[in-house]
């Protein structure tokens, strides 16, 4: 959750400044502020950038055992050497590429000495010229006088012209060069040899990867302290130093401990108008995973409630909805378990990403079981799992409702599947089969998933509106608008929802009450907005369009989940008609492709519904992340 931060003024003797900053860096809980009341920015020094560039160069080469004895090795000198070698390597590769292009251009004329050509021209008085033309240029006409055909290569004909004066030929291009093919080949071999020497040297330097990482982190720590030193004020002709800083309310007790070893006085001061208050989030466990997701999009403002747990839960739900298959979830889980076994040393962000992946895999398995889907195969009706399936239970309730009411859905099913009208009981009607498929059950399952996507979206938005109600009371009106709209439009469209066939709310009466709630919600939101914002509040009515658009946006959950299920089912149907080996190959490859595409959809749209539709009503954003002066440590096994 988001924790309060307090502002402190630190004053001390000039001689104790570096010791205090070293202590603060070791503890890592003070976010210092510069003279302009802005947070100190952590960028990097030239030395750090140089080391970072050298590390990137080393990473291009296969990992080797790291050098432990680095005594006498200067990290910055080594980094400069690596950068120079890499730049030399790039120059050699460019020169080699240019030579290869030139060789390709003149290869068709063959190998000969340009000095011999010059000698012949001098002794004979002939002009020797070289030309290229399309292969079929002289298919119906004779080759021009003085031209001798040499070679055909890659759709071009190569000619040499021997004449007593320079000549030109229509549709033929003269080629000139200053270095023979043999000499170019010799240069290429020399460049290749030099390139191998550079590459071997770079490979050997890969043993300093860990050493450069340590040096890089040390340079960052030094740079951060230098930046803080730039932010201090020096009153009394430099005898004292003073600097402001933000401290989390949960760690205020550490301020005295940090200052007591030095001649530093810390005093809590008032937050001024215009102060850039940083956002300090303190989460653990699953909420910490949600915080990482929140950080992908934006930092909450200092007045925002921490959305981390909400975002994690909603993202897991949306991702599982879009994947919609317990088999795919099982593959995710197996991959997560393998990564845990293969990389037990992972910590920090890597470990949290792996934990998030595990949570998503479990969510997919749970959702797939509830929806009775396993690699695109629906559970058979006599399978015991079907009886405990959430989807099966809801469809049974929906089918019994339509059968009892004899409503439009019932008539539509009977018109589409004429034999179904002969059913005397709801479960018989629901289980009606055509060519071995439960057609009525399947259609009503699609209806339920459609309703579920819409219901999830409405609840998600309503939660968002309530979270923001204190700052924007008009959102309470829109909360009731969504509730009323869910009741009213079900009645208006004669499309019963969960509230009707699960909770027993009468469709028509519910619609009448819903219309009243709907209009009351709009009126409340409008009047409150006018009261709070004056005449500009009349434009609050435009939020109606936004709420409708955001609600309908959640139908992407149904559409993407249905698309993945159709593809998986089609794969299984095609594989069933193929020989065993071909079926196995098709099934594995196709399901993997479908899994990758579904994963992309789940991540992109699962986050999008949080960051756009949900954030729109309960998230201000634009905050500045709490960044304390903190000592960085490199862990080789991370």
């Amino acid at each position: 959750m988001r924790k309060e931060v307090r502002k402190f003024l630190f004053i001390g003797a000039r001689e104790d400044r570096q010791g205090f900053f070293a202590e603060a860096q070791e503890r890592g809980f003070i976010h210092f502020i510069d003279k302009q009341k802005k947070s100190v920015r952590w960028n990097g020094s030239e030395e750090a950038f140089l080391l970072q560039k050298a590390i990137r160069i080393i990473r291009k080469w296969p990992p080797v055992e790291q050098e432990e004895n680095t005594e006498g090795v200067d990290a910055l000198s080594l980094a400069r050497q690596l950068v120079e070698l890499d730049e030399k390597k790039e120059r050699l590769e460019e020169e080699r590429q240019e030579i290869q292009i030139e060789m390709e251009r003149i290869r068709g004329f063959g190998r000969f000495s340009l000095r011999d050509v010059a000698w012949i021209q001098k002794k004979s008085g002939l002009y020797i010229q070289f030309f290229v033309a399309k292969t079929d240029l002289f298919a119906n006409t004779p080759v021009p006088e003085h031209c001798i055909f040499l070679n055909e290569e890659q759709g071009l004909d190569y000619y040499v012209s021997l004449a007593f004066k320079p000549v030109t030929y229509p549709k033929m291009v003269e080629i000139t060069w200053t270095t023979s093919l043999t000499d170019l080949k010799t240069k290429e071999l020399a460049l290749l040899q030099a390139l191998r020497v550079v590459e071997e040297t770079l490979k050997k330097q890969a043993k300093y990867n860990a050493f450069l990482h340590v040096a890089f982190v040390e340079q960052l720590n030094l740079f951060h302290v230098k930046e803080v030193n730039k932010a201090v004020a020096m009153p009394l002709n430099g005898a004292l130093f003073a600097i402001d800083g933000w401290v989390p309310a949960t760690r205020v007790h550490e301020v005295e401990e940090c200052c007591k070893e030095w001649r530093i006085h810390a005093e809590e001061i008032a937050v001024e108008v215009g102060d850039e208050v940083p956002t300090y989030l303190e989460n653990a466990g699953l909420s910490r995973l949600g915080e990482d997701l929140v950080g992908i999009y934006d930092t909450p403002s200092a007045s925002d409630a921490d959305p981390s747990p909400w975002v994690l839960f909603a993202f897991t739900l949306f991702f599982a909805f879009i994947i919609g298959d317990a088999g795919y979830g099982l593959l995710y889980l197996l991959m997560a378990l393998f990564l845990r076994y293969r990389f037990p040393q992972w910590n920090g962000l890597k470990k949290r990403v792996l934990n998030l992946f595990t949570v998503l895999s479990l969510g997919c398995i749970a959702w797939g079981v509830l929806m009775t889907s396993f690699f695109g195969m629906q559970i058979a009706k006599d399978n015991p799992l079907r009886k405990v399936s959430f989807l099966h239970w809801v469809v049974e309730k929906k089918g019994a409702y339509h059968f009892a009411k004899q409503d439009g859905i019932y008539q539509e099913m009977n018109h589409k599947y004429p034999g179904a009208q002969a059913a005397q009981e709801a479960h018989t009607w629901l289980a009606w089969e055509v060519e071995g498929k439960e057609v009525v059950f399947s259609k009503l399952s699609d209806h339920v998933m459609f309703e579920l996507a819409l219901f999830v979206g409405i609840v998600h938005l309503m939660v968002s509106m309530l979270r923001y109600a204190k700052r924007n009371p008009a959102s309470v009106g829109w909360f009731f608008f969504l509730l009323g709209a869910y009741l009213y439009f079900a009645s208006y469209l004669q499309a019963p929802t969960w509230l009707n066939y699960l909770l027993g709310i009468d469709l028509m009466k519910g619609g009448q009450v819903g219309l009243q709630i709907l209009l009351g919600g709009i009126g409340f939101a409008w009047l409150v907005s006018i009261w709070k914002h004056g005449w500009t509040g009349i434009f609050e009515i435009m939020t109606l369009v936004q709420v409708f658009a955001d609600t309908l946006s959640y139908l992407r959950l149904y559409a993407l989940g249905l698309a993945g299920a159709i593809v998986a089912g089609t794969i299984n149907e095609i594989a069933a008609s193929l020989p065993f080996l071909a079926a196995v190959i098709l099934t594995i490859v196709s399901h993997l492709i479908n899994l990758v595409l579904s994963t992309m959809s789940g991540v992109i749209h699962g986050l999008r519904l949080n960051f756009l539709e949900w954030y729109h009503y309960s998230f201000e954003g634009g905050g500045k992340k709490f960044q304390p002066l903190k000592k960085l440590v490199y862990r080789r096994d991370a």
Side-chain angles (χ1 to χ4, degrees):
M1 61 175 59
R2 185 177 64 83
K3 298 292 186 179
E4 179 188 358
V5 292
R6 298 180 183 175
K7 188 177 179 183
F8 278 79
L9 170 64
F10 299 92
I11 301 178
R14 179 181 59 186
E15 309 84 64
D16 294 330
R17 181 177 59 177
Q18 299 307 325
F20 168 67
F21 286 149
E23 179 77 16
Q25 187 177 45
E26 195 70 36
R27 292 176 177 269
F29 72 100
I30 305 176
H31 178 124
F32 289 105
I33 311 171
D34 67 12
K35 302 170 188 176
Q36 286 74 39
K37 306 300 180 184
K38 295 181 180 179
S39 304
V40 175
R41 305 300 182 188
W42 308 130
N43 295 316
S45 62
E46 293 183 4
E47 292 82 2
F49 285 132
L50 176 64
L51 290 166
Q52 186 181 44
K53 191 173 183 179
I55 290 170
R56 288 175 179 171
I57 293 169
I58 282 183
R59 281 181 175 175
K60 299 176 185 177
W61 304 100
V64 297
E65 184 177 352
Q66 295 299 290
E67 180 64 50
E68 299 295 338
N69 183 17
T70 56
E71 185 178 354
V73 180
D74 182 68
L76 293 177
S77 298
L78 176 61
R80 291 190 189 94
Q81 179 188 2
L82 288 169
V83 171
E84 291 172 359
L85 284 171
D86 190 65
E87 290 175 350
K88 182 178 180 181
K89 174 177 170 291
E90 291 182 358
R91 288 196 303 270
L92 292 173
E93 288 175 341
E94 289 176 1
E95 290 179 23
R96 186 188 177 197
Q97 186 176 15
E98 291 174 358
I99 288 176
Q100 289 177 333
I101 293 173
E102 180 66 8
M103 290 171 63
E104 193 65 28
R105 189 174 71 95
I106 65 175
R107 190 185 305 278
F109 294 108
R111 293 177 178 270
F112 52 84
S113 170
L114 292 178
R115 289 187 293 272
D116 292 343
V117 172
W119 183 85
I120 293 172
Q121 287 186 127
K122 181 178 180 181
K123 294 297 183 180
S124 64
L126 294 171
Y127 284 92
I128 302 178
Q129 297 170 267
F130 299 92
F131 295 89
V132 294
K134 291 183 178 179
T135 299
D136 58 352
L137 181 61
F138 301 114
N140 301 317
T141 57
V143 176
E145 188 180 5
H146 308 303
C147 273
I148 302 173
F149 174 78
L150 296 177
N151 189 21
E152 178 186 349
E153 191 173 306
Q154 296 182 354
L156 293 174
D157 286 343
Y158 293 81
Y159 299 89
V160 60
S161 171
L162 304 175
F164 287 101
K165 61 180 181 180
V167 294
T168 58
Y169 301 102
K171 298 183 181 181
M172 296 180 70
V173 179
E174 183 178 4
I175 303 297
T176 60
W177 63 94
T178 58
T179 307
S180 68
L181 191 62
T182 302
D183 292 340
L184 289 173
K185 187 63 178 177
T186 301
K187 286 185 177 181
E188 184 191 22
L189 292 175
L191 286 173
L192 187 58
Q193 182 63 31
L195 189 59
R196 286 174 179 170
V197 171
V198 172
E199 289 177 347
E200 287 298 323
T201 305
L202 287 171
K203 286 181 182 178
K204 291 178 181 178
Q205 302 304 321
K207 64 182 180 180
Y208 291 113
N209 186 20
F211 172 67
L212 289 175
H213 272 88
V214 172
F216 172 67
V217 169
E218 290 177 353
Q219 285 295 329
L220 283 181
N221 288 330
L222 291 173
F223 173 75
H224 293 165
V225 174
K226 289 180 181 177
E227 289 298 295
V228 171
N229 274 283
K230 292 179 182 178
V232 301
M234 302 295 292
L236 299 180
N237 296 322
L240 299 178
F241 80 93
I243 189 170
D244 295 341
W246 300 102
V247 177
T250 55
R251 303 188 67 176
V252 167
H253 63 279
E254 295 185 45
V255 172
E256 183 178 352
E257 297 176 7
C258 184
C259 298
K260 67 181 180 181
E261 295 186 12
W262 312 95
R263 292 175 291 179
I264 308 297
H265 174 73
E267 182 76 24
E268 184 174 356
I269 58 178
V271 178
E272 301 175 17
V273 177
D275 274 345
E276 191 178 46
V277 182
T279 301
Y280 177 67
L281 301 179
E282 191 175 90
N283 290 294
L286 294 178
S287 294
R288 185 65 179 88
L289 307 182
E291 183 181 331
D292 290 328
L293 292 174
V294 170
I296 293 174
Y297 182 76
D298 195 4
T299 300
S301 70
S303 58
D304 276 331
D306 183 11
S308 299
W310 296 95
V311 169
L312 175 65
F313 173 78
F315 175 60
T316 303
L317 175 62
F318 298 156
F319 185 86
F321 200 125
I322 292 172
I323 299 299
D325 194 283
Y328 287 173
L330 181 60
L331 290 181
Y332 287 140
L333 182 59
L334 292 175
M335 189 182 303
L337 293 176
F338 170 76
L339 291 174
R340 288 180 179 278
Y341 170 77
R342 179 66 179 80
F343 303 103
Q345 75 279 9
W346 277 2
N347 54 38
L349 180 59
K350 290 182 180 178
K351 184 64 174 292
R352 295 199 302 273
V353 171
L354 182 55
N355 289 340
L356 175 62
F357 185 41
T358 306
V359 169
L360 293 177
S361 66
L362 294 174
C364 290
I365 292 174
W367 186 267
V369 171
L370 291 175
M371 299 298 115
T372 62
S373 178
F374 192 85
F375 288 114
M377 299 180 289
Q378 296 297 321
I379 303 299
K381 62 181 179 180
D382 56 347
N383 192 301
L385 288 176
R386 182 91 170 253
K387 302 302 180 182
V388 297
S389 163
F390 173 76
L391 178 64
H392 180 77
W393 176 72
V394 174
V395 173
E396 280 190 336
K397 294 291 186 180
K398 182 177 177 65
Y401 178 91
H402 292 309
F403 187 84
K405 296 291 184 180
Q406 305 280 300
D407 57 10
I409 298 294
Y410 175 80
Q411 300 299 332
E412 179 186 343
M413 293 294 106
N414 290 342
H415 177 73
K416 194 167 186 178
Y417 310 110
Q421 61 188 355
Q424 299 299 313
E425 296 180 351
H427 72 272
T428 306
W429 177 72
L430 188 62
W432 191 262
E433 295 184 356
V434 174
E435 297 180 356
K437 296 181 179 180
E438 297 176 286
V439 289
V440 176
F441 183 90
S442 178
K443 286 294 182 182
L444 293 186
S445 295
D446 286 344
H447 291 181
V448 168
M449 296 304 294
F450 183 93
E451 294 170 20
L452 180 57
L454 196 60
F455 179 78
V456 166
I458 290 174
V459 171
H460 195 227
L461 292 178
M462 290 169 72
V463 169
S464 179
M465 291 170 180
L466 287 183
R467 291 182 77 247
Y468 206 68
K470 288 184 178 180
R471 280 190 287 176
N472 182 22
S475 62
V476 176
W478 295 116
F479 171 91
F480 285 103
F481 164 77
L482 280 176
L483 178 61
Y486 190 67
L487 288 166
Y488 171 70
F489 283 105
S491 174
Y492 178 77
L493 298 173
Q494 289 296 296
T497 66
W498 298 37
L499 300 180
N500 306 117
Y501 56 79
L502 291 184
L503 300 183
I505 297 176
D506 183 81
L507 184 62
M508 299 307 298
K509 291 182 179 178
Q512 294 172 1
V513 174
L515 180 60
Q516 295 173 10
I517 297 175
L518 181 154
L519 295 176
I522 294 176
F524 179 85
W526 200 16
L527 292 174
V528 168
S529 185
I530 293 174
W531 169 73
K532 187 175 181 180
H533 303 291
W535 70 270
T536 58
I538 62 175
F539 297 108
E540 179 70 20
I541 194 67
M542 300 301 295
T543 305
L544 178 65
V545 178
Q546 182 71 51
V547 173
F548 261 118
D550 289 339
T551 303
L552 294 178
S553 186
Y554 286 83
L555 293 179
R556 71 184 66 238
L557 295 174
Y558 166 73
L560 293 169
L562 180 62
I566 291 175
V567 171
T570 303
I571 293 170
N572 296 336
E573 289 180 5
I574 296 175
S577 63
L578 297 176
F580 178 75
L581 182 59
V584 170
I585 295 175
L586 174 69
T587 301
I588 294 175
V589 174
S590 300
H591 273 297
L592 285 177
I593 294 174
N594 190 36
L595 180 62
V596 171
L597 295 176
S598 297
T599 302
M600 293 171 60
S601 298
V603 172
I604 294 171
H605 295 282
L607 290 176
R608 175 244 158 84
L609 289 171
N610 281 287
F611 295 157
L612 297 184
E613 279 75 12
W614 196 73
Y615 271 10
H616 183 78
Y617 302 98
S618 65
F619 187 82
E620 185 174 323
K624 303 301 179 182
K625 190 175 181 180
F626 182 82
Q627 292 183 301
L629 175 64
K630 185 176 182 180
K631 188 173 184 179
L632 304 177
V633 179
Y634 170 68
R635 293 183 177 88
R636 186 184 300 185
D637 59 349

